[in-house]
């Protein structure tokens, strides 16, 4: 309805009414936009019930049917996007929620990677604990911003609580502090930033560690280090030769003696060593560097010691298996990824430091638009401890699931994975037609390959790739592949607490059968 306010001027009548209450009649389900409407509660309950039913149907009908679908990348693009292979344009008009859920069920669910499947021997993708999923759901409804205290007050405090649990896990001591991140890449990037701005600055006599001051600086990693350390140095402005890659031993572990020799050579060449970035649980093999020995080198040479324990750090939950990842308490900074072996829904990583001030002095900013009206209370603003600004309420899912399962329960799940990996490694050792990269895994990653008769080195590498794809298409199990010392291996990550010793043994039998059919 329109009325004239003056010559040539029209005013929408409903606009005047909407000064006291907006109308959402333009949408087929207005009660899902207007939470205050009388029918909103019923409409929301119905939507949540349908969404939850879809999730449980997926778990029962799809997630345990096969690890991953058989489509190739090109085939899946054609299936999802149609003959053009290109994404559809953004929708212009509203769609009822039932239709959206139906499209999720029909178009998306059948093509998911299924971490829940017990024979999905994945990267570092365990299924999430139920209470982690519930915590994630509630966190999205609560919608707390964990950057400035006032945008998520209790969320800020809950992050302090769960990160102190991680400080205790690592053994960072009374001055220790932690901050949640999107994952290990962000945590490692932040760790290198702290090492540069706190430790390298001191070694430079207080000079700003930027630009030409970074020339000659050296960070030591093994050939098994995660790519994120190199990426972090690139982002932080270091020259390409700042990363010193030291060869690992025959079990893919970085040893202290090799690093000490490289440090001595670099000093003799006029370089400035300032950091060792070790790994406790490498992505390739699960190898664990000699962290206690590297800590001794770091202390003797005045180097920052960072340990990427994104995967392996969770072994410290277990009294039985904690000794597999020694020395984390000796590091200045440690990465831990709860969405790996603490079985959390994506995404949640963490960086733990021995001294809270190292984080704060590196990342502290105080923009005027985030000022507090009561500055004397000094509220906890997490943006002062992180490279990230806007951060979601990640702490709730970890808090809820850790409470639900307990440290002892989490330890049991980690131990089960280690035990099943040991069974798989033992079966490989006993099989003349398989070869292991490492005879006994340090954690729960087993790398091995099938030895087809009459194949040379290059052909044998290609055989592993064909076998992996055949396994993927069969739907009976899933493994990835990797390259170790120039050769291709199958990589089985035991991360799922539903995976049994029988699943591990059956994997080899399936691979044998498929190899015979190639």
């Amino acid at each position: 309805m329109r009325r004239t306010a003056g010559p040539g001027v029209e005013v929408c009548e409903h606009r005047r009414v909407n000064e006291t209450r907006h109308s959402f009649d333009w949408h087929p389900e207005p009660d899902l936009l207007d939470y205050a409407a009388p029918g909103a509660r019923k409409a929301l309950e119905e939507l949540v019930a349908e969404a939850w039913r879809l999730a449980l149907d997926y778990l029962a009908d799809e997630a345990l049917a096969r690890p991953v679908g058989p489509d190739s990348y090109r085939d899946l693009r054609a299936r999802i996007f149609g003959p053009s292979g290109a994404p559809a344009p953004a929708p212009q008009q509203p769609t009822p929620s039932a239709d959206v859920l139906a499209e999720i069920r029909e178009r998306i669910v059948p093509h998911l990677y299924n971490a829940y499947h017990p024979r999905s021997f994945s990267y570092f993708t365990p299924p999430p604990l139920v209470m982690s999923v519930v915590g994630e759901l509630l966190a999205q409804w609560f919608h707390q911003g964990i950057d400035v205290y006032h945008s998520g007050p209790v969320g800020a405090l809950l992050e302090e609580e769960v990160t102190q649990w991680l400080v205790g896990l690592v053994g960072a001591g009374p001055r220790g502090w932690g901050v949640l991140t999107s994952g290990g890449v962000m945590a490692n990037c932040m760790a290198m930033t702290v090492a540069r701005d706190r430790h390298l600055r001191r070694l430079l006599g207080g000079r700003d560690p930027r630009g030409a001051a970074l020339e000659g600086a050296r960070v030591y990693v093994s050939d098994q280090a995660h790519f994120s350390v190199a990426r972090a140095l690139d982002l932080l402005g270091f020259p390409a030769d700042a990363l010193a890659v030291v060869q690992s031993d025959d079990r893919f572990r970085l040893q202290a003696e090799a690093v000490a020799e490289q440090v001595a050579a670099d000093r003799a060449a006029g370089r400035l060593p300032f950091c060792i970035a070790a790994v406790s649980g490498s992505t390739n093999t699960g190898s664990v560097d000699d962290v206690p020995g590297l800590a001794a080198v770091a202390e003797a040479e005045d180097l920052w010691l960072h340990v990427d324990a994104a995967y392996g750090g969770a072994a410290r939950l277990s009294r039985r298996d904690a000794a597999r990842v020694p020395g984390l308490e000796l590091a200045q900074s440690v990465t831990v990824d709860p969405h790996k072996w603490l079985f959390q829904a994506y995404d949640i990583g963490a960086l733990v430091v021995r001294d809270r001030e190292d984080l704060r002095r590196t990342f502290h900013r105080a923009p005027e638009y985030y000022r507090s009206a009561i500055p004397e209370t000094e509220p906890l603003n997490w943006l002062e401890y992180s490279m990230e600004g806007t951060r979601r309420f990640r702490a709730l899912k970890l808090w809820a699931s850790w409470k639900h399962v307990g440290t002892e329960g989490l330890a049991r799940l980690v131990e089960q994975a280690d035990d099943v990996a040991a069974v798989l490694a033992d079966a490989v050792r006993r099989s003349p037609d398989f070869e292991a990269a490492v005879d006994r895994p340090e954690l729960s990653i087993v790398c091995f390959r099938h030895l087809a008769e009459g194949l040379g080195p290059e052909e044998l590498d290609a055989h592993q790739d064909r076998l992996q794809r055949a396994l993927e298409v069969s739907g009976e199990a899933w493994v990835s592949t990797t390259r170790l010392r120039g050769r291709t291996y199958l990589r089985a990550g035991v991360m799922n607490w539903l995976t049994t010793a029988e699943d591990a043994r059956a994997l080899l039998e399936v691979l044998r059968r498929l190899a015979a059919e190639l």
Side-chain angles (χ1 to χ4, degrees):
M1 178 179 177
R2 296 182 180 272
R3 61 184 176 85
T4 301
V9 178
E10 285 189 333
V11 177
C12 290
E13 188 70 21
H14 76 269
R15 186 73 57 127
R16 181 182 61 79
V17 173
N18 286 347
E19 289 176 2
T20 58
R21 185 177 182 84
H22 289 298
S23 171
F24 299 97
D25 290 343
W26 51 267
H27 196 279
E29 297 170 300
D31 288 347
L32 293 181
L33 296 178
D34 187 357
Y35 304 141
R41 176 65 180 258
K42 183 175 183 295
L44 288 167
E45 287 178 346
E46 290 174 353
L47 174 59
V48 169
E50 286 303 312
W52 197 246
R53 183 176 296 107
L54 190 159
L56 296 182
D57 286 347
Y58 159 72
L59 194 61
D61 301 334
E62 295 283 349
L64 300 179
R66 57 183 298 144
V68 67
D71 288 333
S72 68
Y73 175 72
R74 288 183 177 179
D75 289 343
L76 186 57
R77 284 191 67 91
R79 192 183 298 276
I80 296 300
F81 294 144
S84 71
Q92 297 300 307
Q93 299 301 321
T95 304
S97 60
D99 294 346
V100 175
L101 291 179
E103 185 170 358
I104 293 173
R105 184 185 292 272
E106 296 164 9
R107 186 183 180 205
I108 297 172
V109 168
H111 309 293
L112 295 171
Y113 170 77
N114 299 317
Y116 299 88
H117 195 284
R119 294 187 184 177
S120 174
F121 296 94
S122 66
Y123 296 110
F124 292 131
T125 313
L129 294 163
V130 169
M131 283 302 291
S132 179
V133 175
V134 171
E136 177 73 4
L137 173 66
L138 292 174
Q140 296 305 321
W141 275 111
F142 295 161
H143 200 54
Q144 302 296 287
I146 314 301
D147 47 1
V148 182
Y149 173 79
H150 296 293
S151 66
V154 73
L157 300 182
L158 205 64
E159 179 157 336
E160 180 179 0
E161 184 160 279
V162 297
T163 52
Q164 282 302 303
W165 297 351
L166 295 174
V167 165
L169 177 70
V170 167
R175 294 173 60 86
W177 191 255
V179 58
L180 298 181
T181 69
S182 58
V185 171
M186 178 59 74
N188 285 340
C189 190
M190 288 171 55
M192 292 299 99
T193 307
V194 175
R196 181 195 66 177
D197 286 9
R198 296 291 285 161
H199 192 66
L200 182 56
R201 184 188 298 274
R202 184 176 64 78
L203 295 179
L204 291 170
R207 287 174 59 203
D208 191 27
R210 304 289 191 276
L214 300 179
E215 296 290 337
R218 294 282 264 178
V219 177
Y220 302 90
V221 299
S222 88
D223 51 19
Q224 300 301 304
H226 196 266
F227 75 87
S228 56
V229 176
R231 175 178 287 180
L233 297 183
D234 285 343
L235 292 172
L236 293 171
F238 284 91
D241 62 356
L243 189 68
V245 179
V246 181
Q247 185 169 334
S248 56
D249 67 11
D250 60 352
R251 294 179 61 84
F252 305 98
R253 302 169 302 186
L254 183 61
Q255 295 295 337
E257 183 179 356
V259 174
E261 291 175 357
Q262 185 64 57
V263 169
D266 284 343
R267 289 201 190 282
R271 295 181 176 274
L272 180 58
F274 82 96
C275 178
I276 300 172
V279 62
S280 288
S282 68
T283 302
N284 254 349
T285 66
S287 58
V288 177
D289 291 344
D290 176 19
V291 174
L294 293 169
V297 172
E299 183 175 7
E301 297 288 346
D302 197 11
L303 310 179
W304 182 278
L305 176 61
H306 172 67
V307 180
D308 178 358
Y311 157 50
R316 308 261 297 199
L317 294 160
S318 163
R319 286 187 290 270
R320 188 196 77 179
D321 291 352
R324 298 186 184 210
V325 286
L328 299 188
E329 69 281 357
L330 304 173
Q332 276 74 38
S333 56
V334 178
T335 290
V336 179
D337 260 10
H339 66 215
K340 290 186 172 68
W341 234 2
L342 274 80
F343 311 101
Q344 296 302 298
Y346 283 137
D347 57 20
I348 176 171
L351 176 64
V352 173
V353 296
R354 192 189 295 178
D355 189 336
R356 174 178 181 170
E357 282 301 297
D358 285 331
L359 272 177
R360 189 172 186 277
R361 290 182 180 274
T362 299
F363 297 112
H364 175 71
R365 296 290 185 275
E368 67 277 4
Y369 42 81
Y370 284 153
R371 66 182 296 278
S372 173
I374 316 175
E376 63 272 15
T377 63
E378 297 184 6
L380 174 56
N381 294 323
W382 280 102
L383 67 85
E384 298 178 6
Y385 297 90
S386 176
M387 187 175 288
E388 298 176 281
T390 301
R391 297 163 64 251
R392 58 197 186 83
F393 193 5
R394 294 187 177 105
L396 184 59
K397 59 189 170 190
L398 180 57
W399 182 89
S401 54
W402 203 325
K403 285 243 178 198
H404 186 239
V405 178
T407 298
E408 291 189 4
L410 291 170
R412 286 176 182 269
L413 302 185
V414 168
E415 290 169 4
Q416 286 175 205
D418 284 340
D419 291 346
V420 172
V423 169
L424 177 57
D426 181 66
V428 170
R429 281 196 308 273
R430 295 172 182 272
S431 302
D433 54 342
F434 286 97
E435 176 184 65
V438 176
D439 57 351
R440 287 179 172 79
E442 296 189 66
L443 295 169
S444 68
I445 306 299
V446 182
C447 291
F448 62 99
R449 56 185 183 164
H450 181 254
L451 302 176
E453 292 185 5
L455 298 183
E458 300 300 326
E459 294 171 313
L460 196 58
D461 286 345
H463 174 69
Q464 310 310 314
D465 288 333
R466 290 194 298 270
L467 188 54
Q468 188 275 340
R469 177 57 180 155
L471 180 67
E472 186 173 88
V473 171
S474 78
E476 296 179 73
W478 192 83
V479 298
S480 61
T481 63
T482 190
R483 296 279 286 180
L484 297 168
R485 303 287 191 256
R487 300 269 68 96
T488 301
Y489 283 80
L490 302 173
R491 179 191 176 280
V494 183
M495 303 295 293
N496 187 341
W497 65 83
L498 297 179
T499 302
T500 66
E502 177 55 33
D503 290 317
R505 296 189 189 97
L507 173 63
L508 299 189
E509 292 302 319
V510 172
L511 289 170
R512 283 192 183 98
R513 190 188 76 243
L514 293 173
E517 297 171 358
L518 289 177

